[in-house]
Amino acid sequence: MSATIRPYKIIIFSAVRPAARSSKDGPPRQRRRPLTSSAAVTIEEGGVSAIECWRAWELIKLTLPVMFGYLPIGMAFGFLMVHNGGAWWMAPFASVVLYAGAAQFASIALLAAGQSPIAVMLAITLINLRHVFYGFSVIDRMPTALAAKLYLIFSLTDETYSLITSIDKDTAQRDGWRLALLNQLYWIFGSFVGAMLGVGITFEAKGLEFTLTAMFCVLALSQYRAIGSVIPAVIGFLSLMLALVFVPNGALFTAIGMSAACLVSYCFYRLKSSPASARTLNPAGKDQS
Amino acid sequence: MTTETFLITMLLCGAVTFFLRLLPFVVSGIMRDNVLLRDIGRLLPLSVMVILMCYTFKETGREPLTLTVARLAAVVTTALLQLAFRNVLLSILGGTLLMMAEQVALG
């Protein structure tokens, strides 16, 4: 299905033309007016800005579930960044340029453990490896404008990906990048508020550093729920134990690398031993032969 | 962490994450049906989260045993809260408040 050409395509928060609007003026004059930009329409007709607001609200409503997740978790991120020695602006900055939930929390822990930028980057690559597959299922939902497309690709987090794939294709093509932008704004705002809270709490509260442990615990549980297997958890735990014994100074990065190597062997073995069960993991249902 | 380290790290991480997200649009077909890569991408985050969580216990052995036990109790509480209510904020707050209370109790 190709994108339907609509006259209001370039209007910011483009609204469906409501029937009520044409009743005000004569319909022929209304039809001939070129709908080229939201600014022009807003100046000519007072009623349109209200319609744009309604359209914006429709989009915000779609992102509300993400907002309820992103605001508190973003706050936790901002707070932890400050609590682990970061300046107030660091959390919002990370949310602008990195914008990947679990990876951002991991980067705090890795930076606080004194890992080098390259080591952190490699660890983040492994954590975000799953993003390599998100693009395939949204290729036909991408906007045509290059800037909008690039932004939507940049901001394709787990939650935005779920949102884009759950709405109809036309809305995704037209408003997908706006939904993505709203989501990132919630995240940045949450990080900022959390960082401010972190700066505000100046007293030495023992036990507060546990929020990072709790965050990783919650993230691990949600990952477990998504894949339904404890094997990666066991591999991770054993890797860390070995790494702490043999490479105490670079334990964190060594453990992540060891886990990756073990999981590669595990997945490879599983694929070889029973290709049929591996095929069911593919949601597209394509024959792997 | 120094400001320079932070900025370099974040820009590198941001670039590599964008590259990963961009990859399917550049090389569609080559990886699309790669089951091995897909599985690893799905399973690896759990390993990493477990490693990062356990790494916050790194003072075990150098700190009083009671503190380690207190931290374990807080982790179990966090996990149970998350399993019961599936509310991220509630789980983190509950676990952290318990940990802080235990710290006060231990002195």
Side-chain angles (χ1 to χ4, degrees), chain A residues 45-70:
Chain A
E45 277 182 78
V48 173
S49 62
I51 294 155
E52 284 174 9
C53 285
W54 169 79
R55 180 64 194 167
W57 171 240
E58 287 294 299
L59 291 180
I60 290 170
K61 261 200 321 208
L62 280 174
T63 60
L64 278 182
V66 181
M67 187 184 89
F68 289 127
Y70 271 16

Side-chain angles (χ1 to χ4, degrees), chain A residues 72-73 81 84 86 89-90 93-94 97-100 102 106-107 109 111 113 117-118 120-121 124-133 135-136 139 142 150 153-157 205-211 213-221 223-225 227 229 232-233 236-237 240 252 255-256 259-260 263-264 266-268 270-271 278 281-283 286 288, chain B residues 1-25 27-58 70-76 78-80 82-84 86-89 91-97 99-101 103-104 107:
Chain A
I73 301 174
M81 181 61 95
N84 282 275
W89 55 269
M90 284 182 173
F93 180 82
V97 299
L98 175 52
Y99 189 38
S107 75
L111 279 170
I118 298 292
V120 180
M121 186 193 75
I124 297 304
T125 307
L126 293 176
I127 297 171
N128 282 340
L129 199 59
R130 67 189 187 284
H131 289 277
V132 160
F133 295 100
F136 293 127
I139 281 177
M142 280 289 150
L150 283 178
I153 293 171
F154 165 80
S155 58
L156 210 55
T157 57
K206 277 187 176 178
L208 215 51
E209 77 288 344
F210 183 78
T211 34
T213 314
M215 190 72 222
F216 289 134
C217 176
V218 167
L219 287 171
L221 278 176
Q223 289 292 339
Y224 166 71
R225 199 174 294 135
I227 62 177
S229 165
F237 179 78
L240 182 63
L252 206 44
I256 293 173
S259 291
L263 279 175
V264 169
Y266 168 70
C267 291
F268 191 71
R270 200 172 61 167
L271 197 62
L281 268 177
N282 185 355
K286 289 212 169 86
Q288 304 295 323
Chain B
M1 72 188 104
T2 64
T3 304
E4 292 84 59
T5 314
F6 171 81
L7 288 177
I8 292 167
T9 307
M10 281 306 149
L11 290 174
L12 279 176
C13 292
V16 81
T17 303
F18 179 59
F19 174 74
L20 288 173
R21 288 172 181 166
L22 185 68
L23 214 52
F25 298 92
V27 287
S28 61
I30 300 171
M31 299 173 313
R32 166 171 264 183
D33 298 325
N34 193 321
V35 182
L36 188 65
L37 200 56
R38 183 189 298 267
D39 283 4
I40 295 162
R42 273 168 50 96
L43 300 180
L44 199 54
L46 176 56
S47 294
V48 177
M49 292 309 133
V50 168
I51 289 170
L52 290 170
M53 186 188 80
C54 296
Y55 190 71
T56 61
F57 280 80
K58 61 183 182 299
R71 199 172 283 128
L72 269 177
V75 167
V76 171
T78 308
L80 289 178
Q82 179 64 16
L83 289 173
R86 296 195 182 184
N87 182 329
V88 177
L89 199 62
S91 314
I92 294 177
L93 272 179
T96 306
L97 286 177
M99 187 66 201
M100 290 170 81
Q103 290 266 23
V104 171

Side-chain angles (χ1 to χ4, degrees), chain A residues 212-282:
Chain A
L212 197 58
T213 314
M215 190 72 222
F216 289 134
C217 176
V218 167
L219 287 171
L221 278 176
S222 69
Q223 289 292 339
Y224 166 71
R225 199 174 294 135
I227 62 177
S229 165
V230 289
I231 291 171
V234 175
I235 288 177
F237 179 78
L238 293 177
S239 301
L240 182 63
M241 292 303 116
L242 284 173
L244 281 171
V245 171
F246 293 107
V247 200
N249 289 323
L252 206 44
F253 184 68
T254 310
I256 293 173
M258 273 167 66
S259 291
C262 289
L263 279 175
V264 169
S265 334
Y266 168 70
C267 291
F268 191 71
Y269 167 76
R270 200 172 61 167
L271 197 62
K272 287 290 154 201
S273 59
S274 64
S277 73
R279 199 176 295 151
T280 58
L281 268 177
N282 185 355

